[in-house]
Amino acid sequence: MVGRGERRAQVGQAAKISGGKPARKSRTDARGKTVDRGPLPELLGYALRRSQIAVFQDFIRSMGETEIRPAQYSILTVIARNPGLKQAEVSDSLGIERARLVLVLNELEQRGLAKRVVSTTDRRSHALFLTEAGETMLVELNRRVAEHEARLVARLGQAGRRQLLDLLSKIYEA
Amino acid sequence: MVGRGERRAQVGQAAKISGGKPARKSRTDARGKTVDRGPLPELLGYALRRSQIAVFQDFIRSMGETEIRPAQYSILTVIARNPGLKQAEVSDSLGIERARLVLVLNELEQRGLAKRVVSTTDRRSHALFLTEAGETMLVELNRRVAEHEARLVARLGQAGRRQLLDLLSKIYEA
């Protein structure tokens, strides 16, 4: 554990040496210590990862007792929009690895939310559908997702949200 | 596997029903199929996760034979900036779970890049330092990170990069 009031001289020194914008670069934690994070907050990968974790944490809280995780929600949504979709198409369109998708589909099938049906055109592949329970669940999930999204908009403003989505699409649609 | 030229009627139908902006909402994969992703590309969590994965993939490629992953780089950076830092301070400032941090520190110590020194003020905790090899490695990593970041700026422009960092900080510094 860390002594609470303790603040080492070298931390202050590092902040002085780094100069620039200490308010952005350093972070005062719950113990009141300031840690110099150097160039990290100015790196897109760092900022994206921190933001993604923060948003996923809020998403998971928003889902509450449904216990639906972000990837499960995305998969349910894509199957609902494209009934009969194949596993390879889900993983391609969402950028989810095949092995991981199989695990998530197993969970969704065990919970009775989605089902695999042997394809009539290709017996080696399965066509994916939501069950009736899956359709009902998705209505409830969409309601919760809308609340979650509204909390993010409260931080960014509507214009900020639009800007952010447009900038992100330049990164991941490239 | 999925038949290549095959395009089911229901996919086209779903795209028609969904209306709006199919170019943004749907995604044509390598097989030429269009999958309707519904509201997903308009959800910040989805866009953040896709972007974070794309950027991390480029980061990992950029690190090449150093085989340094994003979390390892962040930890090396914070230790370099704050010599003598404690584990709890690293995990607080970077938002990395304690258990995971211990694993990464073990790796960095095994590679001879960082070291744990028993603290003189609190014998139960360790003070973290880079080794000389770690300092040398960090210089090389920073060179590679600069190239990686420049590739992202090429997609966004300098103004876009600044906007994106400012918007993200509103999410994860909240």
Side-chain angles (χ1 to χ4, degrees), chain B residues 56-98:
Chain B
F56 270 34
Q57 283 171 343
D58 188 90
F59 184 98
I60 288 164
R61 270 195 302 274
S62 307
M63 295 303 113
E65 71 281 6
T66 70
E67 292 190 348
I68 291 290
R69 297 189 311 275
Q72 294 177 316
Y73 172 72
S74 293
I75 292 166
L76 289 172
T77 296
V78 169
I79 298 174
R81 290 271 170 167
N82 310 273
L85 206 64
K86 289 170 185 171
Q87 290 189 186
E89 294 168 316
V90 176
S91 65
D92 283 355
S93 64
L94 296 180
I96 296 174
E97 284 170 25
R98 297 299 155 91

Coordinates of all heavy atoms in Angstrom, one line a residue, chain B residues 56-98:
Chain B
F56 N -4.3 0.2 -31.8 CA -3.4 -0.8 -31.1 C -2.7 -1.7 -32.1 O -1.6 -2.1 -31.9 CB -4.2 -1.6 -30.1 CG -4.2 -0.9 -28.7 CD1 -4.2 0.5 -28.6 CD2 -4.2 -1.7 -27.5 CE1 -4.2 1.1 -27.3 CE2 -4.2 -1.1 -26.3 CZ -4.2 0.3 -26.2
Q57 N -3.5 -2.1 -33.1 CA -2.8 -3.0 -34.2 C -1.7 -2.3 -34.8 O -0.6 -2.9 -35.0 CB -3.9 -3.5 -35.2 CG -4.8 -4.6 -34.6 CD -6.0 -4.9 -35.5 OE1 -6.3 -4.1 -36.4 NE2 -6.6 -6.0 -35.3
D58 N -1.9 -1.0 -35.2 CA -0.8 -0.3 -35.8 C 0.3 -0.1 -34.8 O 1.5 -0.2 -35.2 CB -1.3 1.1 -36.3 CG -0.3 1.8 -37.1 OD1 -0.2 1.6 -38.3 OD2 0.6 2.5 -36.5
F59 N 0.0 0.2 -33.6 CA 1.0 0.4 -32.5 C 1.9 -0.9 -32.4 O 3.1 -0.8 -32.4 CB 0.4 0.6 -31.2 CG 1.3 0.9 -30.0 CD1 1.6 2.2 -29.7 CD2 2.0 -0.1 -29.4 CE1 2.5 2.5 -28.6 CE2 2.8 0.2 -28.3 CZ 3.1 1.5 -28.0
I60 N 1.3 -2.1 -32.3 CA 2.0 -3.3 -32.2 C 2.9 -3.6 -33.4 O 4.0 -4.0 -33.2 CB 1.0 -4.5 -31.9 CG1 0.4 -4.3 -30.5 CG2 1.6 -5.8 -32.1 CD1 -0.8 -5.1 -30.2
R61 N 2.4 -3.3 -34.6 CA 3.2 -3.5 -35.8 C 4.4 -2.5 -35.7 O 5.5 -2.9 -36.1 CB 2.4 -3.1 -37.1 CG 1.7 -4.3 -37.7 CD 1.2 -4.0 -39.1 NE 0.3 -2.8 -39.1 CZ -1.0 -2.9 -39.0 NH1 -1.6 -4.1 -38.7 NH2 -1.8 -1.8 -39.0
S62 N 4.1 -1.3 -35.3 CA 5.2 -0.3 -35.2 C 6.3 -0.7 -34.2 O 7.5 -0.3 -34.4 CB 4.6 1.1 -34.7 OG 3.5 1.5 -35.5
M63 N 6.0 -1.4 -33.2 CA 7.0 -1.8 -32.2 C 7.9 -2.9 -32.7 O 9.0 -3.2 -32.2 CB 6.3 -2.3 -30.9 CG 5.6 -1.2 -30.2 SD 6.6 0.3 -29.8 CE 5.9 1.5 -30.9
G64 N 7.4 -3.6 -33.8 CA 8.2 -4.6 -34.5 C 8.9 -5.6 -33.5 O 8.2 -6.2 -32.6
E65 N 10.2 -5.8 -33.7 CA 10.9 -6.9 -33.0 C 11.1 -6.5 -31.5 O 11.5 -7.4 -30.7 CB 12.2 -7.2 -33.7 CG 13.3 -6.1 -33.6 CD 13.1 -5.0 -34.6 OE1 12.1 -4.9 -35.3 OE2 14.0 -4.1 -34.6
T66 N 10.8 -5.3 -31.1 CA 10.9 -5.0 -29.7 C 9.8 -5.7 -28.9 O 9.9 -6.0 -27.7 CB 10.8 -3.5 -29.4 OG1 9.4 -3.1 -29.6 CG2 11.7 -2.6 -30.2
E67 N 8.7 -6.1 -29.6 CA 7.6 -6.8 -29.1 C 7.0 -6.1 -27.8 O 6.5 -6.8 -26.9 CB 8.0 -8.2 -28.8 CG 8.2 -9.0 -30.1 CD 8.3 -10.5 -29.9 OE1 8.5 -10.9 -28.7 OE2 8.3 -11.2 -30.9
I68 N 7.1 -4.8 -27.8 CA 6.5 -4.1 -26.7 C 5.0 -3.8 -27.0 O 4.7 -3.2 -28.0 CB 7.3 -2.8 -26.4 CG1 8.7 -3.1 -25.9 CG2 6.6 -1.8 -25.4 CD1 8.8 -3.6 -24.5
R69 N 4.2 -4.1 -26.0 CA 2.7 -3.8 -26.2 C 2.4 -2.5 -25.6 O 3.1 -1.9 -24.8 CB 1.9 -4.9 -25.6 CG 2.2 -6.3 -26.2 CD 1.2 -7.3 -25.7 NE 1.1 -7.3 -24.2 CZ 1.9 -8.0 -23.4 NH1 2.9 -8.7 -23.9 NH2 1.8 -7.9 -22.1
P70 N 1.2 -1.9 -26.0 CA 0.8 -0.6 -25.5 C 0.9 -0.4 -23.9 O 1.5 0.5 -23.5 CB -0.6 -0.5 -25.9 CG -0.7 -1.3 -27.2 CD 0.2 -2.5 -26.9
A71 N 0.4 -1.4 -23.2 CA 0.4 -1.3 -21.7 C 1.9 -1.3 -21.2 O 2.2 -0.5 -20.3 CB -0.4 -2.4 -21.0
Q72 N 2.7 -2.1 -21.8 CA 4.1 -2.1 -21.4 C 4.8 -0.7 -21.7 O 5.6 -0.2 -20.8 CB 4.9 -3.2 -22.2 CG 4.5 -4.6 -21.8 CD 5.2 -5.6 -22.7 OE1 5.3 -5.5 -23.9 NE2 5.6 -6.7 -22.1
Y73 N 4.5 -0.2 -22.8 CA 5.0 1.2 -23.1 C 4.6 2.2 -22.1 O 5.4 3.0 -21.7 CB 4.6 1.6 -24.6 CG 5.0 3.0 -24.9 CD1 6.4 3.3 -25.1 CD2 4.1 4.0 -25.0 CE1 6.7 4.6 -25.4 CE2 4.4 5.3 -25.3 CZ 5.7 5.6 -25.5 OH 6.1 6.9 -25.7
S74 N 3.3 2.2 -21.8 CA 2.8 3.2 -20.9 C 3.4 3.1 -19.5 O 3.8 4.1 -18.9 CB 1.2 3.0 -20.7 OG 0.6 3.3 -21.9
I75 N 3.6 1.8 -19.1 CA 4.2 1.6 -17.8 C 5.7 2.0 -17.8 O 6.2 2.7 -16.8 CB 4.1 0.1 -17.4 CG1 2.6 -0.2 -17.1 CG2 4.9 -0.2 -16.2 CD1 2.2 -1.6 -17.1
L76 N 6.4 1.7 -18.8 CA 7.8 2.1 -18.9 C 7.9 3.6 -18.9 O 8.8 4.2 -18.2 CB 8.5 1.6 -20.2 CG 8.8 0.1 -20.3 CD1 9.2 -0.3 -21.7 CD2 9.9 -0.3 -19.3
T77 N 7.0 4.3 -19.6 CA 7.0 5.8 -19.7 C 6.8 6.4 -18.3 O 7.5 7.3 -17.9 CB 5.9 6.3 -20.7 OG1 6.2 5.8 -22.0 CG2 5.8 7.8 -20.7
V78 N 5.8 5.9 -17.6 CA 5.4 6.5 -16.3 C 6.6 6.2 -15.3 O 6.9 7.1 -14.5 CB 4.1 5.9 -15.8 CG1 3.8 6.3 -14.4 CG2 3.0 6.4 -16.7
I79 N 7.2 5.0 -15.3 CA 8.3 4.8 -14.4 C 9.5 5.7 -14.8 O 10.1 6.3 -13.9 CB 8.8 3.3 -14.5 CG1 7.6 2.4 -14.0 CG2 10.0 3.1 -13.6 CD1 7.9 0.9 -14.2
A80 N 9.8 5.9 -16.1 CA 10.9 6.8 -16.5 C 10.6 8.2 -16.0 O 11.6 8.9 -15.5 CB 11.0 6.7 -18.0
R81 N 9.4 8.7 -16.0 CA 9.1 10.0 -15.6 C 9.0 10.2 -14.1 O 9.1 11.3 -13.6 CB 7.7 10.4 -16.2 CG 7.6 10.6 -17.7 CD 8.0 12.0 -18.0 NE 8.2 12.1 -19.5 CZ 8.2 13.3 -20.1 NH1 8.1 14.4 -19.4 NH2 8.4 13.4 -21.4
N82 N 8.8 9.1 -13.4 CA 8.6 9.2 -12.0 C 9.4 8.1 -11.3 O 8.9 7.2 -10.7 CB 7.1 9.0 -11.6 CG 6.2 9.9 -12.4 OD1 5.9 11.1 -12.0 ND2 5.7 9.4 -13.5
P83 N 10.8 8.2 -11.3 CA 11.6 7.1 -10.8 C 11.3 6.9 -9.3 O 11.1 7.9 -8.6 CB 13.0 7.5 -11.0 CG 13.0 8.9 -11.6 CD 11.6 9.2 -12.0
G84 N 11.1 5.6 -8.9 CA 10.8 5.3 -7.5 C 9.3 5.2 -7.3 O 8.9 4.9 -6.2
L85 N 8.5 5.3 -8.3 CA 7.1 5.2 -8.2 C 6.7 3.8 -7.7 O 7.4 2.8 -7.9 CB 6.5 5.3 -9.6 CG 5.1 5.8 -9.8 CD1 4.9 7.2 -9.3 CD2 4.6 5.8 -11.3
K86 N 5.6 3.8 -7.0 CA 5.1 2.5 -6.4 C 4.0 1.9 -7.3 O 3.4 2.6 -8.1 CB 4.5 2.7 -5.0 CG 5.7 3.0 -4.1 CD 5.1 3.4 -2.7 CE 6.3 3.8 -1.8 NZ 5.9 4.5 -0.6
Q87 N 3.8 0.6 -7.2 CA 2.9 -0.1 -8.1 C 1.5 0.5 -8.0 O 0.8 0.6 -9.0 CB 2.8 -1.6 -7.7 CG 4.1 -2.3 -8.0 CD 4.0 -3.9 -7.9 OE1 5.0 -4.5 -8.0 NE2 2.9 -4.4 -7.5
A88 N 1.0 0.8 -6.8 CA -0.3 1.3 -6.6 C -0.5 2.7 -7.4 O -1.5 3.0 -8.0 CB -0.7 1.5 -5.2
E89 N 0.6 3.4 -7.4 CA 0.6 4.7 -8.1 C 0.6 4.5 -9.6 O -0.1 5.3 -10.4 CB 1.8 5.6 -7.7 CG 1.8 6.0 -6.3 CD 3.1 6.6 -5.8 OE1 4.2 6.0 -6.1 OE2 3.1 7.6 -5.1
V90 N 1.3 3.5 -10.1 CA 1.2 3.2 -11.6 C -0.2 2.8 -12.0 O -0.7 3.3 -12.9 CB 2.2 2.1 -11.9 CG1 2.1 1.8 -13.4 CG2 3.7 2.5 -11.6
S91 N -0.8 1.9 -11.2 CA -2.1 1.4 -11.6 C -3.1 2.5 -11.5 O -4.0 2.6 -12.3 CB -2.5 0.2 -10.8 OG -2.6 0.4 -9.5
D92 N -3.0 3.4 -10.4 CA -4.0 4.5 -10.3 C -3.8 5.5 -11.5 O -4.8 5.9 -12.1 CB -3.8 5.3 -9.0 CG -4.3 4.5 -7.8 OD1 -5.0 3.5 -8.0 OD2 -4.1 5.0 -6.7
S93 N -2.6 5.8 -11.8 CA -2.4 6.9 -12.8 C -2.7 6.4 -14.2 O -3.1 7.2 -15.1 CB -1.0 7.5 -12.8 OG -0.1 6.5 -13.1
L94 N -2.6 5.1 -14.5 CA -2.8 4.6 -15.8 C -4.2 3.8 -15.9 O -4.6 3.4 -17.0 CB -1.7 3.6 -16.3 CG -0.3 4.3 -16.4 CD1 0.7 3.2 -16.8 CD2 -0.3 5.4 -17.4
G95 N -4.8 3.6 -14.8 CA -6.1 2.9 -14.8 C -5.9 1.4 -15.2 O -6.7 0.8 -15.9
I96 N -4.8 0.8 -14.7 CA -4.5 -0.6 -15.0 C -4.8 -1.3 -13.7 O -4.4 -0.9 -12.6 CB -3.1 -0.8 -15.4 CG1 -2.8 -0.1 -16.8 CG2 -2.7 -2.3 -15.5 CD1 -1.3 -0.1 -17.2
E97 N -5.5 -2.5 -13.8 CA -5.8 -3.3 -12.6 C -4.5 -3.8 -12.0 O -3.6 -4.2 -12.6 CB -6.7 -4.5 -13.0 CG -8.1 -4.1 -13.2 CD -8.9 -5.2 -13.8 OE1 -8.5 -6.4 -13.6 OE2 -9.9 -5.0 -14.5
R98 N -4.5 -3.8 -10.6 CA -3.3 -4.3 -9.9 C -2.8 -5.6 -10.4 O -1.6 -5.8 -10.6 CB -3.6 -4.4 -8.4 CG -4.0 -3.2 -7.6 CD -3.0 -2.1 -7.7 NE -3.7 -0.8 -7.5 CZ -3.9 -0.2 -6.3 NH1 -3.4 -0.8 -5.2 NH2 -4.5 0.9 -6.3

